[in-house]
Amino acid sequence: MLRVATFSSVLALMASVAMAEEIKVGVSPGEHAEIMEEVAKVAAPMGLDIDVVEFSDYVIPNTALADGDIEANSFQHVPYLDNQMKDRGFELVVVGNTITTPMGIYSDKIEDLATLEDGAKVAIPNDPTNGGRALLLLQDLGLVTLAEGTGLVPSPLDVQDNPKGLKFLELDAAQLPRTLSDADIAIINTNYAIASGLSPKDDAIAMEKADSPYVNVIVVRKGDEDLPWVKTLVEAYHSDEVKAFIEESYDGAVITSW
């Protein structure tokens, strides 16, 4: 049966379209970008249009947010955010948890850390929090001992015991997959590993424990946290559809954390 739309129903549809809010959300390559694209699909019928803006490094998304170029970002864990706000004076706030992505150790030269030779070159991120995270992983694996009191942000200068004489190469996190031909091992964030074609499950020779403190978060400018679109964004991210997408797409390499 053909149903003719009434004038009032047309007006209601037009009003709903007009009320749709548009925001830009900054992400890093790999799973953060892929997941946010799914979030955008869920958010659209809820009246929120999300423009996913991909950044190639970890520094620009917070600068872009603080400067008003984007409305939110979803790429970082809390220790990194805390460090950025302390160092750069950003006034940002967490509005929701997203995922945990265990950091992995990759190599084109060895298949087992037990065969890592003395004096091996170890590539790690050059930002304080992810570099510190890499060193904490090496300590958990018994390869180094760090000085007490360094917390979550140790640097190579805090390595107290280094029985293999490992040599640390501090590089931009996004460039680490490219160092595998030169470094003996590289400690790579999951998003950059996935973006470069590496499989955390199949290619990593060691992985960070899933119960690490590095839960990723959605971040907005201070003062925006109570705006209606923020609630919609978080609800869309925490939807059953997005949870199912993560579980089906990453085979345990990405863990939902809400």
Side-chain angles (χ1 to χ4, degrees):
M1 174 176 146
L2 181 61
R3 185 173 295 177
V4 179
T6 65
F7 181 67
S8 60
S9 66
V10 172
L11 284 178
L13 177 61
M14 292 175 64
S16 67
V17 172
M19 288 172 60
E21 189 154 10
E22 297 182 4
I23 64 168
K24 294 180 179 179
V25 179
V27 297
S28 53
E31 76 280 1
H32 287 295
E34 294 162 0
I35 294 169
M36 191 55 65
E37 292 289 355
E38 292 299 312
V39 174
K41 295 176 185 177
V42 174
M46 300 168 70
L48 183 64
D49 291 336
I50 300 175
D51 180 9
V52 182
V53 182
E54 193 168 316
F55 294 95
S56 61
D57 68 16
Y58 284 152
V59 177
I60 300 175
N62 281 329
T63 302
L65 179 57
D67 290 346
D69 296 327
I70 58 177
E71 281 67 50
N73 67 42
S74 176
F75 77 101
Q76 64 193 322
H77 48 64
V78 173
Y80 181 81
L81 173 64
D82 288 345
N83 184 266
Q84 285 268 294
M85 291 195 295
K86 178 181 178 182
D87 287 353
R88 298 172 181 266
F90 296 142
E91 294 190 343
L92 307 175
V93 61
V94 172
V95 294
N97 290 350
T98 59
I99 56 175
T100 302
T101 55
M103 185 175 266
I105 299 180
Y106 299 83
S107 178
D108 281 349
K109 296 181 173 61
I110 63 172
E111 296 182 356
D112 190 322
L113 284 174
T115 64
L116 188 65
E117 296 183 354
D118 291 352
K121 292 184 288 185
V122 179
I124 65 173
N126 64 0
D127 66 271
T129 50
N130 286 300
R133 183 179 180 183
L135 292 171
L136 288 167
L137 174 55
L138 292 175
Q139 177 170 253
D140 287 344
L141 294 169
L143 291 171
V144 300
T145 301
L146 300 170
E148 293 185 7
T150 55
L152 296 176
V153 288
S155 77
L157 296 176
D158 297 311
V159 175
Q160 198 168 56
D161 188 23
N162 184 2
K164 285 184 174 290
L166 302 178
K167 299 175 181 177
F168 298 103
L169 310 175
E170 297 178 87
L171 303 166
D172 181 80
Q175 305 304 317
L176 289 172
R178 302 179 187 177
T179 68
L180 290 174
S181 59
D182 298 318
D184 294 286
I185 60 173
I187 306 179
I188 306 174
N189 294 82
T190 292
N191 61 306
Y192 289 126
I194 291 174
S196 67
L198 293 167
S199 166
K201 180 181 179 182
D202 298 329
D203 298 322
I205 60 175
M207 290 290 289
E208 188 178 48
K209 295 177 182 178
D211 61 351
S212 77
Y214 300 99
V215 176
N216 287 273
V217 289
I218 299 170
V219 178
V220 302
R221 285 184 295 277
K222 187 176 181 180
D224 287 353
E225 59 266 33
D226 294 324
L227 294 177
W229 65 259
V230 175
K231 181 180 179 182
T232 304
L233 172 60
V234 175
E235 286 181 353
Y237 203 115
H238 292 178
S239 66
D240 291 340
E241 296 93 329
V242 171
K243 184 179 180 70
F245 171 80
I246 293 170
E247 291 175 348
E248 293 167 5
S249 299
Y250 301 109
D251 199 20
V254 176
I255 302 164
T256 55
S257 300
W258 65 85

